[in-house]
Amino acid sequence: MAFGVKRAELEAWKKRADSGEIAFLTHYWLDERFPDSKTVTKVACADLAKLEAWGAAYGLNPEWIDRRHGAYPHYDLFGDIQRAALKKEGKWDQIERFHLNGDE
């Protein structure tokens, strides 16, 4: 179950992804399969080759791209890789908003 994201944020993420940008969207998320994760960051791009190259830079396998959502192929990032990617990409607003500093 996803929550903590506004429709305008979701639409902006889709627009960035559609334009070929690597787009980030973090939100609260609960899934019994991942009991230690309270958030997820979705990293999307309509340009699949660009998304795969981005993922390779973080050691992510292209097979991990979620392709079920039509025009928005994306990686789902959790935990340490989520924190590391957000920091490296300068997404401090998402880190602070969702308390992902790793200090908790």
Side-chain angles (χ1 to χ4, degrees), residues 41-86:
T41 297
K42 296 185 175 295
V43 181
C45 185
D47 181 338
L48 197 52
K50 187 174 183 179
L51 183 60
E52 288 177 1
W54 181 89
Y58 288 93
L60 303 175
N61 187 325
E63 294 174 7
W64 299 340
I65 295 174
D66 184 341
R67 300 164 197 254
R68 295 175 296 162
H69 295 85
Y72 303 101
H74 66 276
Y75 284 103
D76 289 318
L77 306 181
F78 311 95
D80 292 339
I81 188 67
Q82 176 188 30
R83 248 186 316 281
L86 288 171

Side-chain angles (χ1 to χ4, degrees), residues 5-69:
V5 64
K6 297 178 176 112
R7 179 167 300 280
E9 293 169 314
L10 177 62
E11 294 304 318
W13 175 77
K14 289 178 179 180
K15 185 175 183 176
R16 287 190 306 274
D18 281 338
S19 72
E21 182 180 336
I22 299 292
F24 295 78
L25 179 70
T26 302
H27 58 79
Y28 289 110
W29 181 73
L30 297 176
D31 188 316
E32 62 188 27
R33 298 171 298 168
F34 304 96
D36 295 331
S37 295
K38 296 176 186 168
T39 60
V40 62
T41 297
K42 296 185 175 295
V43 181
C45 185
D47 181 338
L48 197 52
K50 187 174 183 179
L51 183 60
E52 288 177 1
W54 181 89
Y58 288 93
L60 303 175
N61 187 325
E63 294 174 7
W64 299 340
I65 295 174
D66 184 341
R67 300 164 197 254
R68 295 175 296 162
H69 295 85

